[in-house]
Amino acid sequence: MALLRRYGIRPYRYRGQRRTTVIAHLSRAFVNETLWPEFLELQGTLAAYFDAFTDRVIEQALEVKAGEAEE
């Protein structure tokens, strides 16, 4: 939603649709060239942040170093 609004696009949903459903009328070119690459970049950044946060919480809660298993 925030990414759509960043580009001045007003997302909407029909009555009765779930709150996770979002509709926006966009050109395929805009989605493929602008919106989707930016979404993937933001998704990667967010995933890396959550991975680091999760490791930090586990380390603090269990007082052990989180990470990969030894080979």
Side-chain angles (χ1 to χ4, degrees), residues 9-65:
I9 300 164
R10 295 185 65 206
Y12 64 94
R13 63 179 62 89
Y14 294 114
R15 178 194 270 181
Q17 285 185 319
R18 297 178 185 265
R19 295 190 52 77
T20 56
T21 300
V22 176
I23 299 172
H25 289 284
L26 307 168
S27 70
R28 186 177 300 265
F30 178 74
V31 171
N32 290 336
E33 296 169 8
T34 305
L35 203 62
W36 190 247
E38 190 166 353
F39 173 80
L40 292 177
E41 182 180 340
L42 291 169
Q43 179 188 26
T45 302
L46 190 60
Y49 172 79
F50 281 132
D51 286 345
F53 178 77
T54 302
D55 287 344
R56 191 169 59 245
V57 168
I58 291 170
E59 289 172 5
Q60 290 174 358
L62 301 179
E63 298 179 2
V64 296
K65 180 74 176 161

